[in-house]
Amino acid sequence: MKRKTSKRRKALYVLFGLLLFLVVSAVGGMVYIKSWWFQERPNTLAFVGELHTIPFEWTATTDNGHTEPHAATLIPVTLPGLQKKFYMQFDTGSPYTFVRSGALESLRQRGHAHEVRVEEDRSVVERLELDVGGNRVVLNSGHVLERTATIDWEDPDSIAILGSFGTDLLAEKVCAIDFPAQQLQLYRTRPESLTALGEFVPFDFSGRRIMLPSTIAGTEQDVFYDSGCSAFGLLTSKYHFDRFTDPNVAEIQYSANRFGDSIPVHHKPCSGNLRLGTVELPLERVSYVELYEFFQATLGRFSFFGGFLGNKALLESTLILDTEASEFLLVRRSLQAVDPASGDPEVTRWIRSSATALEPKQESYGRVGQAMAAARVVGLGEATHGQHEAFDLKRRLTMHLIRHHGFRVVAYEASASRAMDCDAYVAGRSDDREKAVAGFGMLVWQVEENARLLDDLREWNRTAKPGDRVRFLGCDAQSGGVILARLTDLLTGAGERGDTALAKLKALLDRSMPATRKAQGGDRADLDQLLEEAAVVADEVRAIARAKSVPAGAIDIRLREFVAHLGLYGSVGARDRAMAELLLAQLGPPELRPKCVVWGHNAHVQRSPLTYMRSEALAMGGHLAKALGRDYYALGFFFGCGEFQANARDETGRWRFKRYRHAAVTEGSLDAFFAAAVPTDFVLDLRSAPSVPAVKEWLTTPRGHRWWGGYNISDDFDERTSDVANLSTCAPGGSYDGIAFHHRTTAAQPVNAALIMTK
């Protein structure tokens, strides 16, 4: 039976909530209603279309030497036409969403279309449309909180908080708040997969307040789940604080901010348990604030209200709220993870103890950072060509290696000839950013994350000494026409001999595709003949270039690239071999090679053979490892679930960006193992793994994982990879020297957002 809440109890809840909220809402600045606590109210927040999983992030605060790593829950959002990343706090202490007035004014100055008007005694915002984890969310008659703080448009790393989502985000839905995976799974109705997890228990959702039945220290109490009290376990009255804690244990005290006023907050560790529904949680810590102690004592003695439940006690769990049925379930693990017990505990312990958690601003990357710093060439992979988190981490790692460890070349899985436009921008020889981004070649790489990499390199070079400036190289040979154009430029003024040689190169290029198709069908005769002729013509071009005093290095690289292009797809592994050889040739002789970071797909940076293509031919990383030994370090990228993008043709045949979403990690996969082992995004060095049988076996045993290429991904991509038996496999230690893992990803942002497909 659902427990009824009497008018007397609700009045007491109102009084206590209004008093305590003034203390605990330092981050969100939420506005509580002036009338009854449990009053029913309209929902001004609308979801348009199907529901998608919403990621969230933690933010930390420090006061007087005390750091709270989970001080608030922030949900990334985007607005149409604006490139900056914004946030909304997730605060279940409020029954409605609000937006800050200063943020709205900043958006208005940037030309954003929304309306603010006065309705009775308050300001409201109309037509504010947000993209929230792929969900189209529209706020009409939304509350506006008077806060003057504006958006810092100049600092790309600044945290721009627009306001807070309240429980209207959850109303008439089923929401699984997966704390370890840092995501909110939303459903219109309760799916069978959630029902099968356990017995749901009634709770009170009157007025969109989440009142959960609990048992604390043997006493039945209602607790108000308020994610705005994120850093707290149980925030309660002084009366309950004394009941639930040991009087012989010293208090921990620091100050909280109440709209500019400093108020003491008292904590004590607690060895007791909190029972929510059918699940017991270690309470660990109980807190109270010095505010209206008479009312606290009265409420504590004469009501069933146990206090405010923050996120502290829930960090290793998933809280499932069915607000339509007013039922909930607590699960003591992430829904994205298989049971950690299904893996070898020795391997799990090693990963948990050795992984380095990833943070937005990071100065050290643990053992991975140390190993990369000692290498000469570092390969940074990616599981897809379109994830923001992977691109962003690769950029941060690259700049870290440049600033602190002397890396002076950045290479990319892009046409070497096209990438010369990237280098011109990075070196300051050109100011054409658009042309530089086009230098990446494939449309899938023409994203803001890559543009920011070029901007960062350009800024470094602007103030660097000549010997410390960074070059940008392409290491692929895909663009035959561009290669020929570069050779034409080099041979300008070479007269008839030059024109004749260029004509021969053009004829070879025209024959390459038919010869490649025949070779792929098993007949290599034409392609082999073509490559023999190309070697002869290349020697002719070198002789002409010498007579014209063209630098030998410049002409040799372009000819290497041209010949590689002719045979690029004539056999499995030819492209990867060509990329490795082209990179090493551009880096120069071994004794003079600068330290280099090379960006590419996992399939290319891996040290192992191309088994996903049923071949024993080595990947690019395998050739580099063969040439460099331990001076090559490969970092493979993995992810649990979320969004990515690739290129697809629209109905007119034009290439555009298409977004894809994996709703959940594949059970039994390598991705699921990582998700279960460590609750945060992380990097892990494999070279320093302990030499014990369980870990050795794990490193050398192939396991399934998800990865995708850059275009033409089928619409049933998620269904096809929901079974681990259908996944590509790799043995972690055989393919990579280190691992980077993101629990949840979002799509990269195209430079031209108009190219994103909407259906």
Side-chain angles (χ1 to χ4, degrees):
M1 292 289 294
K2 185 188 300 184
R3 294 191 291 177
K4 302 295 184 181
T5 306
S6 68
K7 290 183 179 179
R8 176 170 172 271
R9 285 172 60 195
K10 289 186 176 182
L12 291 171
Y13 290 152
V14 173
L15 180 59
F16 189 59
L18 290 174
L19 295 176
L20 284 186
F21 175 75
L22 296 174
V23 181
V24 301
S25 58
V27 177
M30 291 294 297
V31 178
Y32 279 80
I33 59 171
K34 300 176 181 178
S35 58
W36 292 102
W37 182 266
F38 294 98
Q39 177 184 1
E40 298 299 333
R41 49 186 58 79
N43 192 344
T44 60
L45 194 71
F47 281 73
V48 180
E50 63 179 287
L51 298 181
H52 301 292
T53 298
I54 299 174
F56 65 81
E57 301 173 13
W58 298 111
T59 185
T61 59
T62 300
D63 181 82
N64 195 28
H66 177 82
T67 299
E68 286 291 352
H70 304 98
T73 310
L74 300 182
I75 294 177
V77 302
T78 58
L79 281 77
L82 296 174
Q83 299 296 335
K84 189 173 181 64
K85 189 176 184 180
F86 304 97
Y87 292 92
M88 295 283 284
Q89 187 185 353
F90 178 51
D91 192 342
T92 60
S94 172
Y96 49 76
T97 291
F98 77 83
V99 187
R100 298 176 178 180
S101 59
L104 288 172
E105 176 60 20
S106 293
L107 295 177
R108 185 192 65 77
Q109 293 175 3
R110 284 293 175 109
H112 188 266
H114 63 268
E115 176 188 351
V116 177
R117 59 181 179 81
V118 177
E119 183 180 274
E120 297 178 352
D121 61 343
R122 63 187 178 90
S123 296
V124 296
V125 61
E126 302 284 358
R127 303 193 316 275
L128 183 63
E129 182 174 328
L130 305 171
D131 185 302
V132 187
N135 298 283
R136 183 187 171 205
V137 178
V138 180
L139 185 63
N140 282 308
S141 297
H143 290 247
V144 176
L145 179 68
E146 294 301 323
R147 287 290 180 271
T148 58
T150 56
I151 296 169
D152 184 351
W153 299 102
E154 300 302 322
D155 182 2
D157 294 321
S158 64
I159 298 179
I161 299 179
L162 301 180
S164 290
F165 287 125
T167 50
D168 47 359
L169 189 76
L170 314 180
E172 300 178 345
K173 302 179 189 71
V174 179
C175 177
I177 309 174
D178 192 330
F179 292 94
Q182 295 181 216
Q183 62 181 35
L184 311 177
Q185 296 179 26
L186 297 180
Y187 307 90
R188 299 287 185 192
T189 59
R190 191 190 304 174
E192 179 59 33
S193 59
L194 296 186
T195 301
L197 293 174
E199 180 183 354
F200 279 70
V201 176
F203 76 99
D204 195 340
F205 194 57
S206 302
R208 295 204 295 266
R209 312 284 184 177
I210 302 173
M211 306 299 301
L212 301 176
S214 70
T215 303
I216 310 171
T219 303
E220 289 190 354
Q221 305 275 344
D222 282 350
V223 290
F224 173 41
Y225 173 52
D226 181 359
S227 62
C229 302
S230 181
F232 296 94
L234 179 67
L235 180 63
T236 187
S237 66
K238 177 67 162 60
Y239 171 75
H240 283 319
F241 179 85
D242 290 337
R243 287 185 62 221
F244 299 155
T245 60
D246 186 343
N248 298 316
V249 176
E251 292 183 1
I252 302 169
Q253 182 177 329
Y254 64 91
S255 296
N257 177 38
R258 185 199 67 173
F259 304 120
D261 296 328
S262 181
I263 298 177
V265 180
H266 301 260
H267 300 291
K268 269 191 181 183
C270 177
S271 59
N273 288 340
L274 165 70
R275 186 177 183 86
L276 285 177
T278 60
V279 176
E280 287 197 357
L281 295 168
L283 196 50
E284 294 184 355
R285 191 170 74 178
V286 177
S287 310
Y288 83 95
V289 297
E290 294 180 6
L291 182 66
Y292 305 108
E293 292 189 10
F294 169 77
F295 292 107
Q296 290 181 356
T298 301
L299 284 167
R301 288 180 173 86
F302 302 112
S303 80
F304 294 97
F305 184 45
F308 287 68
L309 177 67
N311 293 328
K312 193 79 172 179
L314 304 173
L315 295 178
E316 300 300 323
S317 303
T318 300
L319 177 61
I320 305 172
L321 299 167
D322 186 338
T323 61
E324 186 72 14
S326 293
E327 293 182 334
F328 82 101
L329 176 67
L330 188 67
V331 180
R332 290 297 307 278
R333 63 176 176 87
S334 168
L335 300 188
Q336 301 308 305
V338 294
D339 186 352
S342 65
D344 189 291
E346 193 166 15
V347 177
T348 302
R349 282 195 299 271
W350 161 61
I351 292 177
R352 287 177 176 170
S353 64
S354 301
T356 299
L358 292 172
E359 301 170 357
K361 294 184 177 181
Q362 197 153 359
E363 290 300 319
S364 172
Y365 293 90
R367 291 176 177 172
V368 166
Q370 296 168 12
M372 288 193 301
R376 302 298 301 177
V377 176
V378 170
L380 299 180
E382 55 199 43
T384 80
H385 285 318
Q387 290 169 313
H388 166 78
E389 289 74 14
F391 284 141
D392 186 63
L393 176 58
K394 290 167 70 169
R395 177 187 58 80
R396 290 189 287 126
L397 286 170
T398 298
M399 297 311 300
H400 175 79
L401 292 171
I402 289 171
R403 292 186 181 110
H404 302 292
H405 300 293
F407 282 68
R408 294 297 178 260
V409 173
V410 177
Y412 206 98
E413 181 197 334
S415 162
S417 285
R418 282 189 184 276
M420 292 172 69
D421 290 332
C422 301
D423 186 60
Y425 179 78
V426 164
R429 298 190 301 273
S430 166
D431 296 328
D432 193 336
R433 187 175 189 259
E434 183 177 351
K435 185 177 182 181
V437 172
F440 285 106
M442 286 179 59
L443 178 65
V444 75
W445 290 319
Q446 296 178 31
V447 293
E448 287 294 339
E449 291 82 354
N450 279 341
R452 188 174 178 190
L453 168 68
L454 297 182
D455 290 340
D456 284 358
L457 296 176
R458 179 184 173 94
E459 178 59 25
W460 168 269
N461 283 342
R462 188 179 64 81
T463 58
K465 297 177 181 178
D468 289 331
R469 290 174 184 164
V470 175
R471 287 189 296 150
F472 190 95
L473 304 175
C475 63
D476 208 346
Q478 293 197 68
S479 302
V482 179
I483 303 169
L484 186 58
R486 298 292 188 193
L487 285 166
T488 301
D489 291 341
L490 289 171
L491 294 179
T492 298
E496 185 177 347
R497 287 182 67 202
D499 293 342
T500 301
L502 289 170
K504 290 180 180 179
L505 293 175
K506 176 65 166 59
L508 291 169
L509 187 61
D510 292 342
R511 290 164 51 197
S512 63
M513 187 55 70
T516 296
R517 291 197 185 99
K518 289 182 69 175
Q520 291 173 345
D523 181 1
R524 287 191 55 88
D526 286 358
L527 184 59
D528 290 341
Q529 177 64 32
L530 183 74
L531 294 175
E532 288 180 12
E533 293 178 29
V536 173
V537 176
D539 286 340
E540 293 177 12
V541 172
R542 289 187 180 94
I544 296 169
R546 283 194 299 271
K548 187 177 173 291
S549 299
V550 175
I555 199 73
D556 185 66
I557 292 299
R558 295 286 76 80
L559 288 170
R560 281 176 178 268
E561 183 185 7
F562 182 83
V563 175
H565 173 79
L566 298 180
L568 204 62
Y569 297 107
S571 63
V572 176
R575 181 183 172 209
D576 280 83
R577 183 181 65 253
M579 286 195 292
E581 292 174 349
L582 191 57
L583 175 61
L584 292 175
Q586 292 180 94
L587 292 179
E591 66 276 10
L592 298 177
R593 280 177 189 154
K595 299 176 80 171
C596 169
V597 180
V598 56
W599 287 38
H601 195 280
N602 281 352
H604 298 305
V605 304
Q606 66 180 353
R607 292 189 285 106
S608 50
L610 302 172
T611 54
Y612 74 99
M613 300 180 73
R614 297 179 176 84
S615 173
E616 290 302 310
L618 289 175
M620 174 187 71
H623 290 286
L624 293 175
K626 190 174 181 180
L628 302 172
R630 289 179 65 84
D631 277 344
Y632 176 68
Y633 189 95
L635 185 70
F637 280 61
F638 296 80
F639 69 103
C641 62
E643 196 177 43
F644 66 97
Q645 69 188 11
N647 291 151
R649 294 187 188 273
D650 63 15
E651 60 275 9
T652 69
R654 184 186 183 189
W655 284 105
R656 302 181 68 178
F657 291 92
K658 185 173 181 178
R659 263 73 188 275
Y660 303 86
R661 179 185 299 274
H662 283 301
V665 70
T666 302
E667 290 195 13
S669 66
L670 188 59
D671 311 312
F673 184 82
F674 289 141
V678 184
T680 62
D681 296 344
F682 66 89
V683 290
L684 174 70
D685 180 57
L686 302 183
R687 287 185 176 181
S688 58
S691 183
V692 296
V695 174
K696 283 184 175 181
E697 181 182 4
W698 181 84
L699 288 170
T700 56
T701 301
R703 288 175 169 80
H705 63 97
R706 278 172 167 160
W707 67 6
W708 296 103
Y711 58 93
N712 288 342
I713 295 174
S714 63
D715 289 337
D716 64 346
F717 72 102
D718 194 37
E719 180 183 353
R720 286 197 297 116
T721 57
S722 61
D723 186 339
V724 69
N726 296 331
L727 302 182
S728 297
T729 63
C730 81
S735 297
Y736 308 106
D737 301 289
I739 297 295
F741 181 78
H742 290 98
H743 280 267
R744 192 183 189 282
T745 62
T746 55
Q749 181 60 47
V751 172
N752 184 356
L755 292 178
I756 301 173
M757 297 174 70
T758 57
K759 61 178 181 178

